[in-house]
Amino acid sequence: MAPTHAEPFNDSSALIDFVINQGNGVKGLSEMGLKALPRQYIQPLEERMCMINIKAQESIPIIDMSNPNDPEVVKSICEAASKWGFFQIINHDVPIEVLENVKDATYKFFGLPAEVKNKYSKEHSSSNNVRFGTSFTPQAEKALEWKDYLSLFYVSEEEASALWPLACREQVLDYMRKSEVVLKQLLKMLMKGLNVNEIDETKESLLMGSMRTNLNYYPKCPNPELTVGVGRHSDVSTLTILLQDEIGGLFVRENNGDNWIHVPPIKGSLVINVGDALQIMSNGKYKSVEHRVVANGYNNRISVPIFVNPRPSDMIGPLPELIKDGEKPIYKQVLYSDYVKHFFRKGHDGKKTIAFAEL
């Protein structure tokens, strides 16, 4: 019988040194040709995909954005955000070459030698706004996740030009700039669905005052059924806009159920999901939904999400327009940076973060 974990890394400190301290990440483990998964990545039984119900015939909505002013499009977006918390958009305003360029740049960055990528790790990066890492919160997780990432928090073009890696800087900036147009369209529609018809500067800043882009790399895995690419969680953003490659592996929890639905890759599409911040601001009308990524035994996979957030210093709570007519708030006002810190303080644990803001 094959061993259940990889022999070279029985010692956790050797694994942490290789994966984290030396900057090899799980990509380095994958490229060693391990025949079995290191035990530190073996997830509890209840977190493995083999234990969940997959609803093969279901699909999240796919919405054509070629006419964003069409009332039917607005209605479809608001319904998708309320019922599913997830939808895909096609015929949007982000050019396909911009999407292809950022995918190529993601492969280019992760193809760099470990010592180059490691310059951007928590220990070595010159800024908290640029972070190369692995898993989610390794120091707080019971089992590690099979993923490496580069996280880029946008402050200004000047800072990005000075600090972001050359391998992907221009492509990510272009992807963010082009996506901003679509994000503004979506937020305008979603606010209309809440009868908030005016998005002034203050409200725009509250909805999308800060942006972070992650380049995610999921290398092929020796025992994908024993681990996860990303564990069950909902995002803490207002909205997340996700570019995925053609491999697939993203699963979304069906609202109020135990079934999971695969989000199939569609060339040129973008996946949109509601984050906790929008669930709180909409007083629960729009739902942020649990999602997860499976590991893959045959292919490397990449994805590039942009997380659109309030600013760290913003107080978030149900929008005043929603509660002025006597609607009962179900969330309190919380400092957004406190909410985010709470999320990162623990391993991925489904939808538990939202309890931090509940009344």
Side-chain angles (χ1 to χ4, degrees):
M1 193 173 145
T4 52
H5 52 73
E7 300 305 334
F9 294 110
N10 278 345
D11 174 10
S12 274
S13 60
L15 180 112
I16 296 298
D17 187 54
F18 178 81
V19 172
I20 297 177
N21 300 341
Q22 294 176 35
N24 289 293
V26 281
K27 182 175 186 283
L29 288 180
S30 177
E31 288 170 355
M32 288 174 77
L34 297 176
K35 294 287 179 280
L37 189 71
R39 63 179 169 78
Q40 296 86 346
Y41 290 90
I42 296 176
Q43 293 287 327
L45 201 55
E46 66 275 10
E47 296 302 334
R48 298 182 204 168
M49 281 304 280
C50 61
M51 298 304 290
I52 71 164
N53 303 316
I54 295 170
K55 215 164 175 187
Q57 69 280 19
E58 279 282 16
S59 168
I60 63 168
I62 297 162
I63 299 169
D64 188 331
M65 289 275 288
S66 46
N67 184 2
N69 297 319
D70 180 347
E72 283 305 308
V73 174
V74 178
K75 186 176 165 217
S76 298
I77 298 268
C78 295
E79 279 179 0
S82 305
K83 184 186 171 193
W84 294 89
F86 260 85
F87 51 96
Q88 295 207 62
I89 56 171
I90 56 172
N91 298 323
H92 50 73
D93 285 340
V94 185
I96 193 120
E97 62 270 21
V98 171
L99 303 180
E100 292 304 316
N101 289 345
V102 83
K103 285 196 278 192
D104 291 345
T106 301
Y107 273 113
K108 193 171 173 190
F109 174 79
F110 286 102
L112 294 171
E115 59 272 18
V116 177
K117 289 182 290 196
N118 210 23
K119 289 178 186 167
Y120 302 102
S121 69
K122 186 177 181 178
E123 285 66 36
H124 302 113
S125 182
S126 56
S127 165
N128 278 337
N129 297 332
V130 182
R131 175 71 46 82
F132 167 65
T134 192
S135 194
F136 175 62
T137 309
Q139 66 280 11
E141 290 169 301
K142 294 186 183 77
L144 298 173
E145 299 178 350
W146 194 258
K147 179 188 91 167
D148 297 329
Y149 66 87
L150 175 70
S151 184
L152 301 166
F153 184 81
Y154 180 82
V155 174
S156 65
E157 296 259 345
E158 294 71 38
E159 184 182 282
S161 297
L163 299 179
W164 290 11
L166 186 59
C168 57
R169 178 195 306 153
E170 288 309 319
Q171 295 86 346
V172 173
L173 282 171
D174 200 23
Y175 171 51
M176 289 178 85
R177 280 186 214 108
K178 300 291 194 302
S179 297
E180 200 171 338
V181 178
V182 175
L183 285 158
K184 284 181 177 174
Q185 286 173 340
L186 291 169
L187 285 168
K188 188 176 175 186
M189 294 178 198
L190 289 164
M191 288 301 106
K192 200 172 268 187
L194 300 173
N195 294 317
V196 177
N197 296 314
E198 189 58 49
I199 302 183
D200 58 16
E201 241 174 84
T202 309
K203 186 146 284 115
E204 185 176 293
S205 175
L206 180 66
L207 293 166
M208 54 183 297
S210 73
M211 289 170 99
R212 177 188 297 280
T213 301
N214 277 15
L215 311 186
N216 294 328
Y217 188 87
Y218 304 92
K220 65 181 178 188
C221 177
N223 299 106
E225 72 286 354
L226 298 180
T227 191
V228 294
V230 178
R232 297 177 300 114
H233 69 289
S234 60
D235 293 347
V236 293
S237 56
T238 302
L239 280 182
T240 302
I241 185 165
L242 173 82
L243 169 65
Q244 58 171 347
D245 66 11
E246 69 288 351
I247 302 301
L250 171 64
F251 285 80
V252 173
R253 190 193 279 278
E254 189 181 34
N255 207 2
N256 303 322
D258 287 328
N259 296 314
W260 291 79
I261 296 159
H262 185 233
V263 179
I266 299 171
K267 193 168 175 61
S269 78
L270 290 164
V271 180
I272 309 295
N273 65 279
V274 172
D276 289 357
L278 185 56
Q279 179 169 325
I280 292 165
M281 288 191 268
S282 71
N283 204 31
K285 177 162 185 197
Y286 298 138
K287 309 282 189 304
S288 76
V289 172
E290 270 182 77
H291 49 287
R292 66 205 304 170
V293 175
V294 297
N296 189 305
Y298 302 100
N299 296 291
N300 302 318
R301 176 182 182 265
I302 57 165
S303 69
V304 191
I306 300 174
F307 303 100
V308 183
N309 315 299
R311 292 168 306 183
S313 58
D314 283 329
M315 294 296 292
I316 62 166
L319 293 170
E321 292 92 333
L322 299 183
I323 51 176
K324 73 174 193 310
D325 294 327
E327 185 180 317
K328 198 172 183 304
I330 53 177
Y331 301 106
K332 61 189 175 190
Q333 295 283 328
V334 293
L335 181 66
Y336 186 62
S337 60
D338 286 346
Y339 191 84
V340 173
K341 277 181 200 145
H342 179 63
F343 176 66
F344 282 106
R345 202 175 283 136
K346 53 198 176 39
H348 281 139
D349 57 2
K351 279 280 291 177
K352 289 183 181 170
T353 311
I354 200 91
F356 185 82
E358 284 171 353
L359 278 168

